[in-house]
Amino acid sequence: MGFGIGTTFCNQKGSEKGHMERQTVIEFIKQYDRDNNGELSKDEAKQVFKTLGSKWSSRRTRQAMKFSDKDEDRSINLNDSYEFDSFIDYILGCGYKLKTTTRA
């Protein structure tokens, strides 16, 4: 499965239409844990926002880290329900759109 990319302007409140499914977001984010250590580094998180089409990926990353990184270790622990769920909530709140596609 591949992912097509589109975005809407982040308003922190989300939008009623075009929201990504939570499970799709989980699968999408996990593929950015490049070193498979169960955490997203600041750079890995920034790549998530770049792929989603953010024009301000550095800003979005800083805001997401501030919102999600409860232990302030500059990473999002994918096995910590608070950190991972908060990161997902931030992305969904920005209203990004992610379309699933199948590869031939």
Side-chain angles (χ1 to χ4, degrees), residues 20-66:
M20 295 184 281
E21 293 292 325
R22 193 170 194 86
Q23 188 59 41
T24 302
V25 176
I26 290 169
E27 293 169 16
F28 173 75
I29 292 170
K30 285 184 175 181
Q31 67 183 334
Y32 286 89
D33 178 16
R34 302 289 188 210
D35 54 6
N36 295 311
N37 67 350
E39 296 183 350
L40 284 182
S41 67
K42 187 175 178 180
D43 289 337
E44 290 168 333
K46 184 176 179 179
Q47 191 59 47
V48 169
F49 288 105
K50 282 183 177 181
T51 302
L52 288 170
S54 175
K55 294 180 183 178
W56 305 284
S57 58
S58 293
R59 180 177 177 211
R60 294 289 169 241
T61 302
R62 281 192 310 273
Q63 290 175 334
M65 288 292 190
K66 185 175 182 179

Coordinates of all heavy atoms in Angstrom, one line a residue, residues 20-66:
M20 N -8.3 12.0 7.9 CA -7.7 10.7 7.8 C -8.3 9.7 8.8 O -8.6 10.2 9.9 CB -6.2 10.8 7.9 CG -5.5 11.6 6.9 SD -3.7 11.5 7.1 CE -3.5 12.7 8.4
E21 N -8.3 8.5 8.5 CA -8.7 7.5 9.5 C -7.5 7.3 10.4 O -6.4 7.3 10.0 CB -9.0 6.2 8.8 CG -10.3 6.2 7.9 CD -11.5 6.4 8.8 OE1 -11.6 5.8 9.9 OE2 -12.5 7.0 8.3
R22 N -7.8 7.1 11.7 CA -6.8 7.0 12.7 C -5.8 5.9 12.4 O -4.6 6.0 12.5 CB -7.4 6.9 14.1 CG -6.4 7.0 15.2 CD -7.1 7.1 16.6 NE -6.3 7.6 17.6 CZ -6.0 8.9 17.8 NH1 -6.6 9.8 17.1 NH2 -5.1 9.2 18.8
Q23 N -6.3 4.7 12.0 CA -5.5 3.5 11.7 C -4.5 3.8 10.6 O -3.4 3.4 10.6 CB -6.3 2.3 11.5 CG -5.5 1.0 11.4 CD -4.7 0.8 12.7 OE1 -5.1 0.9 13.8 NE2 -3.4 0.3 12.5
T24 N -5.0 4.5 9.6 CA -4.2 4.9 8.4 C -3.1 5.8 8.9 O -1.9 5.6 8.4 CB -5.0 5.6 7.4 OG1 -6.1 4.7 7.0 CG2 -4.2 6.0 6.1
V25 N -3.4 6.7 9.8 CA -2.3 7.6 10.3 C -1.3 6.8 11.1 O -0.1 7.1 10.9 CB -2.9 8.7 11.2 CG1 -1.9 9.6 11.8 CG2 -3.9 9.6 10.4
I26 N -1.7 5.9 11.9 CA -0.8 5.1 12.7 C 0.2 4.3 11.7 O 1.4 4.4 11.9 CB -1.6 4.1 13.6 CG1 -2.3 4.8 14.7 CG2 -0.6 3.0 14.1 CD1 -3.3 4.0 15.5
E27 N -0.3 3.7 10.7 CA 0.5 3.0 9.8 C 1.4 3.9 9.0 O 2.6 3.6 8.8 CB -0.4 2.2 8.8 CG -1.2 1.1 9.4 CD -2.2 0.5 8.5 OE1 -2.2 0.7 7.3 OE2 -3.1 -0.2 9.0
F28 N 0.9 5.0 8.6 CA 1.7 6.0 7.9 C 2.9 6.5 8.8 O 4.0 6.5 8.3 CB 0.8 7.2 7.5 CG 1.6 8.4 6.9 CD1 2.1 8.3 5.6 CD2 1.8 9.5 7.6 CE1 2.8 9.4 5.1 CE2 2.5 10.6 7.1 CZ 2.9 10.5 5.8
I29 N 2.6 6.9 10.0 CA 3.7 7.4 10.9 C 4.7 6.3 11.2 O 5.9 6.6 11.2 CB 3.0 7.9 12.2 CG1 2.2 9.2 12.0 CG2 4.1 8.2 13.3 CD1 1.4 9.6 13.2
K30 N 4.3 5.1 11.5 CA 5.3 4.1 11.9 C 6.3 3.8 10.8 O 7.5 3.5 11.1 CB 4.6 2.8 12.2 CG 3.9 2.9 13.6 CD 3.3 1.5 14.0 CE 2.7 1.6 15.4 NZ 2.1 0.3 15.8
Q31 N 6.0 4.1 9.5 CA 7.0 3.8 8.5 C 8.2 4.9 8.5 O 9.2 4.7 7.9 CB 6.4 3.8 7.1 CG 5.8 5.1 6.6 CD 5.1 4.9 5.3 OE1 5.4 4.0 4.5 NE2 4.1 5.8 5.0
Y32 N 8.0 5.9 9.3 CA 9.1 7.0 9.4 C 10.0 6.7 10.6 O 11.0 7.4 10.7 CB 8.4 8.4 9.6 CG 7.9 8.8 8.2 CD1 6.6 8.5 7.9 CD2 8.7 9.4 7.3 CE1 6.1 8.8 6.6 CE2 8.2 9.7 6.0 CZ 6.9 9.4 5.7 OH 6.5 9.7 4.5
D33 N 9.8 5.6 11.3 CA 10.7 5.2 12.4 C 11.8 4.4 11.6 O 11.9 3.2 11.6 CB 10.0 4.3 13.4 CG 11.0 3.8 14.5 OD1 12.1 4.4 14.6 OD2 10.6 2.9 15.2
R34 N 12.7 5.2 11.0 CA 13.7 4.6 10.1 C 14.7 3.6 10.8 O 15.1 2.7 10.2 CB 14.5 5.7 9.4 CG 13.7 6.7 8.6 CD 13.1 6.0 7.4 NE 12.5 7.1 6.6 CZ 11.5 6.8 5.8 NH1 11.0 5.6 5.7 NH2 10.9 7.8 5.1
D35 N 15.0 3.9 12.0 CA 16.0 3.0 12.7 C 15.3 1.9 13.6 O 15.9 1.2 14.3 CB 17.0 3.8 13.6 CG 16.3 4.7 14.6 OD1 15.0 4.7 14.7 OD2 17.0 5.5 15.2
N36 N 14.0 1.9 13.4 CA 13.2 0.8 14.1 C 13.4 0.7 15.6 O 13.4 -0.3 16.2 CB 13.4 -0.5 13.5 CG 12.8 -0.5 12.1 OD1 11.7 -0.1 11.8 ND2 13.7 -1.0 11.1
N37 N 13.6 1.9 16.3 CA 13.8 1.9 17.7 C 12.6 2.2 18.5 O 12.6 2.3 19.7 CB 14.9 2.9 18.1 CG 14.5 4.4 17.8 OD1 13.5 4.6 17.2 ND2 15.3 5.3 18.3
G38 N 11.4 2.3 17.8 CA 10.2 2.5 18.5 C 9.9 4.0 18.9 O 9.0 4.3 19.6
E39 N 10.7 4.8 18.3 CA 10.6 6.3 18.6 C 10.7 7.1 17.3 O 11.5 6.6 16.4 CB 11.6 6.8 19.6 CG 11.5 6.1 21.0 CD 12.5 6.7 22.0 OE1 13.4 7.4 21.6 OE2 12.3 6.4 23.2
L40 N 10.1 8.2 17.2 CA 10.3 9.1 16.1 C 11.2 10.2 16.7 O 10.8 11.0 17.6 CB 9.0 9.8 15.7 CG 8.1 9.0 14.8 CD1 6.9 9.8 14.4 CD2 8.7 8.4 13.6
S41 N 12.4 10.4 16.1 CA 13.3 11.5 16.4 C 12.7 12.8 15.9 O 11.7 12.7 15.1 CB 14.6 11.3 15.8 OG 14.6 11.4 14.4
K42 N 13.2 13.9 16.3 CA 12.8 15.2 15.7 C 12.9 15.2 14.2 O 12.0 15.6 13.5 CB 13.6 16.3 16.4 CG 13.1 17.7 16.0 CD 13.9 18.7 16.8 CE 13.4 20.1 16.4 NZ 14.2 21.1 17.1
D43 N 14.0 14.7 13.7 CA 14.1 14.6 12.2 C 13.1 13.7 11.5 O 12.6 14.0 10.5 CB 15.6 14.2 11.9 CG 16.6 15.3 12.2 OD1 16.2 16.5 12.2 OD2 17.8 14.9 12.3
E44 N 12.9 12.5 12.2 CA 11.9 11.6 11.6 C 10.5 12.2 11.6 O 9.7 12.1 10.7 CB 11.9 10.3 12.4 CG 13.1 9.5 12.1 CD 13.3 8.3 13.1 OE1 12.8 8.4 14.2 OE2 14.0 7.3 12.7
A45 N 10.1 12.9 12.7 CA 8.8 13.6 12.8 C 8.7 14.7 11.8 O 7.7 14.9 11.1 CB 8.6 14.2 14.2
K46 N 9.8 15.4 11.6 CA 9.9 16.5 10.6 C 9.6 15.9 9.2 O 8.9 16.5 8.4 CB 11.2 17.2 10.6 CG 11.2 18.4 9.7 CD 12.6 19.1 9.8 CE 12.6 20.3 8.9 NZ 13.9 21.1 9.0
Q47 N 10.1 14.7 8.9 CA 9.9 14.1 7.6 C 8.4 13.7 7.4 O 7.9 13.8 6.3 CB 10.8 12.9 7.5 CG 10.8 12.3 6.1 CD 11.3 13.3 5.0 OE1 12.3 14.0 5.2 NE2 10.5 13.4 3.9
V48 N 7.8 13.3 8.5 CA 6.3 13.1 8.5 C 5.6 14.3 7.9 O 4.8 14.2 7.0 CB 5.7 12.7 9.8 CG1 4.2 12.7 9.8 CG2 6.3 11.3 10.3
F49 N 5.9 15.5 8.5 CA 5.2 16.7 8.1 C 5.6 17.1 6.7 O 4.7 17.6 5.9 CB 5.5 17.8 9.1 CG 4.7 17.6 10.4 CD1 5.4 17.2 11.5 CD2 3.4 17.8 10.5 CE1 4.8 17.0 12.7 CE2 2.7 17.6 11.7 CZ 3.4 17.2 12.8
K50 N 6.8 16.9 6.3 CA 7.2 17.2 4.9 C 6.4 16.4 3.9 O 6.0 16.9 2.9 CB 8.7 17.0 4.7 CG 9.6 18.1 5.3 CD 11.1 17.8 5.0 CE 12.0 18.9 5.4 NZ 13.4 18.6 5.1
T51 N 6.3 15.1 4.3 CA 5.6 14.2 3.4 C 4.1 14.5 3.3 O 3.5 14.4 2.2 CB 5.8 12.7 3.8 OG1 7.2 12.4 3.9 CG2 5.1 11.7 2.9
L52 N 3.6 15.0 4.4 CA 2.2 15.4 4.4 C 2.0 16.7 3.6 O 0.8 17.1 3.4 CB 1.7 15.6 5.8 CG 1.5 14.3 6.6 CD1 1.2 14.6 8.1 CD2 0.3 13.5 6.0
G53 N 3.1 17.4 3.2 CA 3.0 18.6 2.4 C 3.0 19.9 3.2 O 2.7 20.9 2.7
S54 N 3.5 19.8 4.5 CA 3.5 21.0 5.3 C 4.5 22.0 4.7 O 5.6 21.7 4.4 CB 4.0 20.7 6.7 OG 4.1 21.9 7.5
K55 N 4.1 23.3 4.6 CA 5.0 24.3 4.2 C 5.9 24.8 5.3 O 6.9 25.4 5.1 CB 4.2 25.5 3.6 CG 3.4 25.2 2.4 CD 2.6 26.3 1.9 CE 1.8 26.0 0.7 NZ 1.0 27.0 0.2
W56 N 5.5 24.4 6.5 CA 6.3 24.8 7.7 C 6.6 23.6 8.5 O 6.2 23.5 9.7 CB 5.5 25.8 8.5 CG 5.0 27.0 7.7 CD1 5.8 28.1 7.4 CD2 3.7 27.3 7.2 NE1 5.0 29.0 6.6 CE2 3.8 28.5 6.5 CE3 2.5 26.6 7.2 CZ2 2.7 29.0 5.9 CZ3 1.4 27.1 6.6 CH2 1.5 28.3 5.9
S57 N 7.3 22.7 8.0 CA 7.5 21.4 8.6 C 8.4 21.6 9.9 O 8.1 20.9 10.9 CB 8.2 20.4 7.7 OG 9.4 20.9 7.2
S58 N 9.3 22.5 10.0 CA 10.1 22.7 11.2 C 9.1 23.2 12.3 O 9.2 22.8 13.4 CB 11.2 23.7 11.0 OG 12.2 23.2 10.1
R59 N 8.3 24.2 12.0 CA 7.3 24.7 12.9 C 6.4 23.7 13.4 O 6.1 23.6 14.6 CB 6.6 25.9 12.3 CG 5.6 26.5 13.3 CD 5.0 27.7 12.6 NE 4.0 28.3 13.6 CZ 2.9 28.9 13.2 NH1 2.7 29.1 11.9 NH2 2.0 29.3 14.1
R60 N 5.8 22.9 12.5 CA 4.9 21.9 12.8 C 5.5 20.8 13.8 O 4.9 20.4 14.7 CB 4.3 21.2 11.6 CG 3.5 22.0 10.7 CD 2.1 22.4 11.4 NE 1.5 23.4 10.6 CZ 1.2 24.6 11.1 NH1 1.4 24.9 12.3 NH2 0.6 25.5 10.3
T61 N 6.8 20.5 13.5 CA 7.5 19.5 14.3 C 7.7 20.1 15.7 O 7.5 19.4 16.7 CB 8.9 19.2 13.7 OG1 8.7 18.7 12.3 CG2 9.6 18.2 14.5
R62 N 8.1 21.3 15.8 CA 8.3 21.9 17.1 C 7.0 21.9 17.9 O 6.9 21.6 19.1 CB 8.8 23.4 17.0 CG 10.3 23.5 16.8 CD 10.8 24.9 17.0 NE 10.0 25.9 16.2 CZ 10.2 26.3 15.0 NH1 11.2 25.7 14.3 NH2 9.5 27.2 14.4
Q63 N 5.9 22.3 17.2 CA 4.6 22.4 17.9 C 4.1 21.0 18.3 O 3.6 20.8 19.4 CB 3.5 23.0 17.0 CG 3.8 24.5 16.9 CD 2.8 25.1 15.9 OE1 2.3 24.5 15.0 NE2 2.6 26.4 16.1
A64 N 4.3 20.0 17.4 CA 3.9 18.6 17.7 C 4.7 18.1 18.9 O 4.2 17.4 19.8 CB 4.1 17.7 16.5
M65 N 6.0 18.4 18.9 CA 6.9 17.9 20.0 C 6.4 18.5 21.3 O 6.3 17.9 22.4 CB 8.3 18.2 19.8 CG 9.0 17.4 18.7 SD 9.1 15.7 19.2 CE 10.1 15.0 17.9
K66 N 6.1 19.8 21.3 CA 5.7 20.5 22.5 C 4.4 19.9 23.0 O 4.1 19.7 24.2 CB 5.5 22.0 22.2 CG 5.2 22.8 23.4 CD 5.1 24.3 23.1 CE 4.8 25.1 24.3 NZ 4.8 26.6 24.0

